[in-house]
Every structure is written in structure tokens, then in C-alpha cells.
Amino acid sequence: EDNLFNGEYYQQQVNLEDRSVLEPYQAADPGVFGAYWDAEHKELKYQIGAGCGIDQVLAQWHASLCGLGDIFRPGRVRKALRAIYRHNFKPSLREHFNPCRIFGLNDEAGTVMVEWPAGRRKPVVPVPYSEETMHGFEYQAACHLIMEGGVKQGLAMVRGVRDRYDGERRNPWNEIECGHNYARSMASYALLNAFSGFQFDMTQAKLSFNPLDLDQGFRCFWCLEGAWGVFEANRQKAKLKVLYGELRLERLGLPFLKGKTVKAKLGQAKAACEVRAGDVCFAEAVVIGAGEKLTVK
């Protein structure tokens, strides 16, 4: 926070012309200068410097998904995410220089790993793969942007990946990166959490949903160890269905019902409850079995 935010995004602080930063590593690796020093251009190799990196606030994304709250300044995080969209997202890759692996090309859209805005110095030999599009990173940045209010921009980034894997040009179930079926694209699952506001703390027997948009009604899949099902909601009512397993709840977080009087039913049986700070708190724990439904309205 003190050193890396440049007013628009977080960047790497490094003097590209300072060869001495490699000296502490020389004893362990005598070849460090040959590997990391560009003698021709008198510059360190494999750095980002003033570039805008796609995963610069990755830690905040993890923290937010896990319910740990803010670890960076929220206003700066939002600025950084919008900078990634502004600089790194390419509606067309046709004019983008990429000497590395080709995971997007021609008129396809994609979000590149690092971009150097006009006026920012780009290293002669930057960090490897910086000009590429990598799907897992694209999903991560897009998901985080959606979580921070940039739904339209985030969806454009997601659409860039999915249109490249449309079933005609590439296999929609095999987003290649370092190899086939590369695991990092599973970051796309977090989009479900981003749109549903799904969080849980089973030490408190608590499940939470806070959908981004309730005006048209909302419906999504949810999954925990031991149970999975479907959640449905609008501004007046929420339904939690268990389709497999069993779920024990003492609290159901529904922030959109904060300040309202609610009634709950498990099937046809009433479940005594009250709302505290957006949580529906049950007088006695409710146990929802497979095929059963908890309704709050």
C-alpha cells in the first residue's frame, strides 16, 4: 500500500538498470547474472516494472471469496481492477503483439497477462508469457471485477474466453494453457459465488446468499460437503432446496432482507426465526433433508 500503488494500479518497484540486486543470489547460483541480466541492453530480465498485471490483487479476490474482508484499500482495489479492464482487455487481439503461446488470436477477444500503458516503460525482455492470454487469470480478474461492481466489464472478459472455446474453433470443455484440461480455468467456478454472494461458515451452521441482481428473480446451484441443492430468491422470498444429502442450519444470511420481518417454513412446518443484521436466525436449528425446502418470506 505504501510503495506499489501508482494512483491507477499496483505495480512492481524495480530499478531495471541495477545489476547489483542479483549479487545476493550469486553464491547459491553462479549463473544468476547470465540468466537474469541482459548485457546487451544493460537491463534486468523477466520483470514487470511499471506494467499493469492481471493478477495484481489476486490476494484480495481470495480473501473476499473466503469472507475474510478487505486486506487492501477497497477504493484502490476497484481502481486496479478497472485499470486491468482498461489496459489488459483487448476486444480484438489482431493488433496485439504476442511472441509467446497463442491462446487467442486475430479478432478474438482476451485479457492479456501484462500491459504497459502509454508512457510506461516496458522491459526489453519482460516476464515470460506477459503478452499471452491465460484463461484462469482471465476468469479470476473478471470475477473479481464483477464482485466489485463491474458486472458489464467482467462479463465482457468472460465472454472473451468462452467465445474462443465455442465448440467450433476450440473444445469448450478443454481450455488449454500449459497443457490440456489445465486446472487453472476452474477459477471460473468462482463466478457462481460472485453472482450469488454464496458464503458459508459451518462452525456457526451458517449459510449466506447475497445475489447481485434480484429484480428478475435469481436461481443458482450451491454445494457444500455433505449436501448440495438450489437457491432461489426475489426481493420478497427466498427458497433453499436440498437435492442431495442433509444440511443443518442455525443461521441463513440474506442481507437483502435486513430490517424486514420474516416468516420461515421447512416444508409445511413453521420455523421460528428473527432477523439480526441481515441473518435469519432460527430459534432451533433446522435440518433440511434431501428433497426438502426451506422458505423464508
Side-chain angles (χ1 to χ4, degrees):
E1 292 287 5
D2 293 338
N3 299 302
L4 302 185
F5 190 74
N6 65 15
E8 188 183 12
Y9 57 85
Y10 293 93
Q11 67 176 49
Q12 181 195 22
Q13 284 283 14
V14 60
N15 182 353
L16 294 171
E17 298 165 358
D18 184 7
R19 185 172 180 266
S20 69
V21 300
L22 299 173
E23 291 175 358
Y25 305 98
Q26 189 178 18
D29 181 4
V32 70
F33 287 109
Y36 289 95
W37 179 251
D38 180 355
E40 179 183 359
H41 302 99
K42 303 293 190 291
E43 188 179 278
L44 292 169
K45 293 193 287 187
Y46 314 137
Q47 307 303 304
I48 291 174
C52 181
I54 193 172
D55 60 343
Q56 59 187 274
V57 286
L58 172 72
Q60 183 60 67
W61 177 68
H62 279 295
S64 297
L65 285 171
C66 296
L68 298 178
D70 296 320
I71 59 174
F72 301 139
R73 295 183 188 176
R76 289 182 174 182
V77 170
R78 286 189 287 272
K79 281 186 177 181
L81 290 167
R82 280 159 175 75
I84 293 169
Y85 177 77
R86 185 162 54 251
H87 299 304
N88 299 52
F89 176 65
K90 312 293 181 183
S92 170
L93 291 164
R94 184 170 291 276
E95 301 300 322
H96 174 68
F97 170 72
N98 175 18
C100 305
R101 301 167 299 183
I102 305 299
F103 301 132
L105 75 164
N106 298 336
D107 293 326
E108 295 173 335
T111 308
V112 299
M113 297 293 290
V114 187
E115 184 58 280
W116 288 265
R120 306 278 184 180
R121 177 179 176 179
K122 180 178 181 178
V124 177
V125 184
V127 64
Y129 313 131
S130 58
E131 290 95 348
E132 288 185 5
T133 57
M134 291 194 198
H135 324 105
F137 291 93
E138 292 179 88
Y139 284 131
Q140 174 266 311
C143 177
H144 198 178
L145 185 54
I146 289 167
M147 291 164 68
E148 292 293 341
V151 177
K152 181 179 178 181
Q153 297 90 338
L155 283 176
M157 293 165 68
V158 172
R159 196 172 295 115
V161 183
R162 298 311 310 146
D163 285 350
R164 302 202 302 267
Y165 287 84
D166 61 355
E168 182 177 353
R169 287 168 287 187
R170 298 175 186 85
N171 184 343
W173 296 285
N174 180 11
E175 294 175 1
I176 56 173
E177 216 176 274
C178 190
H180 286 283
N181 301 295
Y182 206 65
R184 191 154 45 211
S185 281
M186 292 177 74
S188 59
Y189 188 89
L191 288 160
L192 182 63
N193 300 50
F195 279 100
S196 66
F198 174 75
Q199 291 190 344
F200 62 92
D201 183 349
M202 301 318 288
T203 64
Q204 297 187 49
K206 177 182 175 179
L207 197 59
S208 298
F209 293 91
N210 192 21
L212 287 182
D213 186 3
L214 286 166
D215 291 334
Q216 303 300 317
F218 182 84
R219 185 174 187 268
C220 74
F221 168 79
W222 60 267
C223 182
L224 288 168
E225 181 182 6
W228 54 263
V230 173
F231 173 78
E232 299 179 52
N234 55 38
R235 297 202 177 275
Q236 287 75 43
K237 183 166 58 175
K239 297 178 183 179
L240 182 66
K241 300 178 181 178
V242 172
L243 299 179
Y244 172 85
E246 184 177 271
L247 181 65
R248 179 182 178 275
L249 283 184
E250 295 180 13
R251 305 163 75 94
L252 179 61
L254 301 172
F256 55 93
L257 296 182
K258 186 177 180 179
K260 297 182 179 181
T261 301
V262 302
K263 295 180 180 179
K265 283 186 176 182
L266 179 57
Q268 297 301 315
K270 292 182 179 180
C273 64
E274 61 177 335
V275 176
R276 295 189 222 127
D279 287 355
V280 178
C281 302
F282 299 100
E284 294 182 6
V286 295
V287 179
I288 315 169
E292 294 184 321
K293 173 178 65 178
L294 177 68
T295 305
V296 177
K297 59 181 176 179

